[in-house]
Amino acid sequence: MKKPLLLSLGLCLAASLPGQAQKAPSPYKTRFAVDAPISAGLGALSITGLLLVQQKDGLTDAQLAALNKNDIPKFDRFSAGYYSDKAQTAGDLIVYPSLVVAPALLALDADVRGRYGQVLGLYLQTMLAADATFTMSVGNITRYRPFLYGTEGGGDRNSKISTNSFFAGHTAHTAAATFFAAKVYHDFHPDSKLKPFVWTAAALVPAAEGYTRLKAGKHFLSDNIVGYVVGATAGIVVPQLHKKANGLSVLPVQGVNVNGYSYSGLSLTKQL
């Protein structure tokens, strides 16, 4: 499923290549003095989360034997005991390439390529935001992975990472990458007829990743849903926060009309 979806996204972006050499204006405004400390802070949070994970303890054999799937919320219980090496491998073949392919596909677009340094800076900040949220969550929250409720998994059953089920990091990182690519394409080409295809591809790739993590017994459905939302939010919100003003302003107004009555409200203006 992965290759056709990524190829679809690539074809959509490649089809938008304009035949002009002039650098297109960027829809974003970035400042090194502001964005560099933000990215550094997010990186520090990611490292802190990883350090917290290292302080966690795995389960003993007695604790594993005491696990009961009836303690799992009904919404997630169906996947208790799932385990699949093939699904895990398939998920790895989606998430890791997507982290490189998604920003690389943007380079196929001439307008984006003209501002690629800025776009890559935003991509780094996006991924750091998703990663900081993920590592701080798994570093502070203990939730047993679904495969622990079965019999498979070997030595991983006693590993400290077996308590990192909430939330799905692979799904979150994949969603952050693909939704970022779709958002940037959308902002550079707001009138493009290809946007529905780009957004659809961006949405389906992390959904496929979430499915593999579910079948592999690494995460429950709710873990994947949260991971998907966190990643998609980072991919959309970070570029959106850097968008230039569109000339639309909302200001409070008050005064007295010709009949002597006072009034107050909001003034909506747009620069033409």
Side-chain angles (χ1 to χ4, degrees):
M1 180 182 292
K2 169 181 71 73
K3 291 182 179 179
L5 291 173
L6 290 179
L7 179 60
S8 174
L9 181 57
L11 291 175
C12 289
L13 293 175
S16 67
L17 287 170
Q20 57 180 19
Q22 186 177 1
K23 184 181 291 189
S26 172
Y28 307 118
K29 179 179 180 181
T30 55
R31 291 179 57 198
F32 181 82
V34 175
D35 290 294
I38 291 175
S39 295
L42 291 171
L45 282 175
S46 295
I47 294 173
T48 300
L50 289 174
L51 293 175
L52 290 173
V53 171
Q54 295 304 312
Q55 303 303 314
K56 298 175 74 173
D57 296 319
L59 279 72
T60 65
D61 290 338
Q63 289 173 316
L64 286 170
L67 291 179
N68 187 339
K69 70 177 184 180
N70 291 321
D71 295 331
I72 303 170
K74 291 182 179 180
F75 183 72
D76 285 325
R77 195 175 300 166
F78 72 93
S79 64
Y82 277 14
Y83 184 84
S84 171
D85 286 327
K86 291 182 179 180
Q88 178 173 337
T89 300
D92 290 343
L93 292 176
I94 295 176
V95 60
Y96 297 119
S98 72
L99 302 182
V100 177
V101 171
L105 288 175
L106 288 171
L108 297 175
D109 185 276
D111 290 347
V112 177
R113 191 165 61 246
R115 308 287 179 174
Y116 205 55
Q118 182 188 49
V119 169
L120 286 181
L122 290 175
Y123 180 67
L124 174 63
Q125 192 173 114
T126 296
M127 299 311 297
L128 286 172
D131 193 64
T133 307
F134 164 67
T135 60
M136 290 299 292
S137 293
V138 296
N140 287 283
I141 300 173
T142 295
R143 191 183 195 193
Y144 306 133
R145 295 187 186 272
F147 76 88
L148 295 182
Y149 294 87
T151 59
E152 299 183 86
D156 288 342
R157 296 177 62 80
N158 301 106
S159 170
K160 66 183 65 179
I161 64 172
S162 67
T163 65
N164 295 347
S165 188
F166 186 83
F167 52 85
H170 280 54
T171 305
H173 287 83
T174 305
T178 60
F179 275 84
F180 174 86
K183 170 63 174 169
V184 170
Y185 179 82
H186 177 110
D187 289 342
F188 271 90
H189 303 286
D191 299 321
S192 173
K193 295 181 179 179
L194 298 176
K195 289 190 302 181
F197 302 100
V198 172
W199 281 110
T200 298
L204 289 177
V205 173
E209 175 63 27
Y211 176 77
T212 67
R213 299 301 282 173
L214 179 72
K215 297 299 290 184
K218 297 298 184 180
H219 298 285
F220 293 101
L221 178 59
S222 61
D223 302 326
N224 281 295
I225 292 174
V226 173
Y228 191 106
V229 171
V230 168
T233 300
I236 294 173
V237 170
V238 171
Q240 181 63 31
L241 290 176
H242 289 82
K243 284 198 70 175
K244 294 177 180 177
N246 59 8
L248 185 68
S249 63
V250 180
L251 298 172
V253 294
Q254 59 182 4
V256 179
N257 62 22
V258 293
N259 296 318
Y261 293 101
S262 61
Y263 64 88
S264 62
L266 297 174
S267 172
L268 179 66
T269 59
K270 179 174 177 60
Q271 182 179 352
L272 300 176

